[in-house]
Amino acid sequence: MKLKRKRRRQLTEILLIIVIFATLIIAYLGLKILLNTDKPLVVVASGSMRPTLEVGDLVVVQGINITQIKENDIIVFRITEDHQAILRLHRVIDIRILPNNTRLFITKGDNNTSPDSKPVKGDQIYGRVIFRIPLIGYLTLDPMIPFAIIIVALIITLLWPERKKRRKRRLPTHCFSSIKRYVKPCLRKS
């Protein structure tokens, strides 16, 4: 059973979109393995790290052994507030080693006046920030932005070839005249 040309094109475009999304998911899973962390990409959601990190920046996080964390490193860690796990990115300003060799990290946002109220334990840390991509994280801060981008991309992908075909069939606008003697020369030229 042969598919009509239009259906075949639509099916190809839908498959292309699926392949793109699958590639993005595989790339994200690959980053998790390559960077050795559950959170390889984190979006800066507050201004506590200004001017180093701005709201909307996307940071790349590398999982490391907690013994390799030094003062001045920016780390990504999990805290619990109101029974919810929240990710935070702050700079390590001090490291305390307890008698049982447990490490506690004192952190502070660059834009904050005082250190965080609770020290960070090693099991809360996802990793150290190694790279920053400015502003690209805004796409994930508002859940409607990615949804709108996907919808617009689908509409453009599915309708663009049809619109292009229609445009080719049109005659130039100067050919439509109420005087018949001008219509015939226009039809001959195009």
Side-chain angles (χ1 to χ4, degrees), residues 14-28:
I14 290 170
L15 286 173
L16 178 66
I17 291 169
I18 291 170
V19 167
I20 289 170
F21 281 116
T23 303
L24 290 173
I25 291 169
I26 290 169
Y28 183 77

Side-chain angles (χ1 to χ4, degrees), residues 71-116:
E71 285 184 26
N72 273 338
D73 284 348
I74 299 173
I75 60 172
V76 176
F77 55 95
R78 176 187 70 252
I79 61 167
T80 305
E81 285 182 1
D82 300 327
H83 305 290
Q84 285 187 325
I86 299 171
L87 285 183
R88 186 170 281 171
L89 296 98
H90 279 175
R91 189 177 303 278
V92 175
I93 59 169
D94 191 22
I95 301 171
R96 296 187 184 149
I97 301 173
L98 301 178
N100 62 358
N101 277 341
T102 302
R103 291 176 183 263
L104 296 177
F105 300 91
I106 310 303
T107 57
K108 176 184 169 295
D110 290 355
N111 200 25
N112 296 347
T113 55
S114 59
D116 297 337

Side-chain angles (χ1 to χ4, degrees), residues 9-65:
R9 187 179 301 128
Q10 286 177 339
L11 187 60
T12 303
E13 291 166 353
I14 290 170
L15 286 173
L16 178 66
I17 291 169
I18 291 170
V19 167
I20 289 170
F21 281 116
T23 303
L24 290 173
I25 291 169
I26 290 169
Y28 183 77
L29 294 174
L31 277 176
K32 286 175 83 169
I33 293 168
L34 183 68
L35 295 172
N36 192 30
T37 182
D38 288 337
K39 303 285 182 190
L41 302 172
V42 176
V43 176
V44 179
S46 76
S48 66
M49 282 301 293
R50 282 188 178 128
T52 308
L53 301 172
E54 294 290 334
V55 175
D57 287 353
L58 180 70
V59 294
V60 179
V61 180
Q62 180 182 30
I64 59 171
N65 189 319

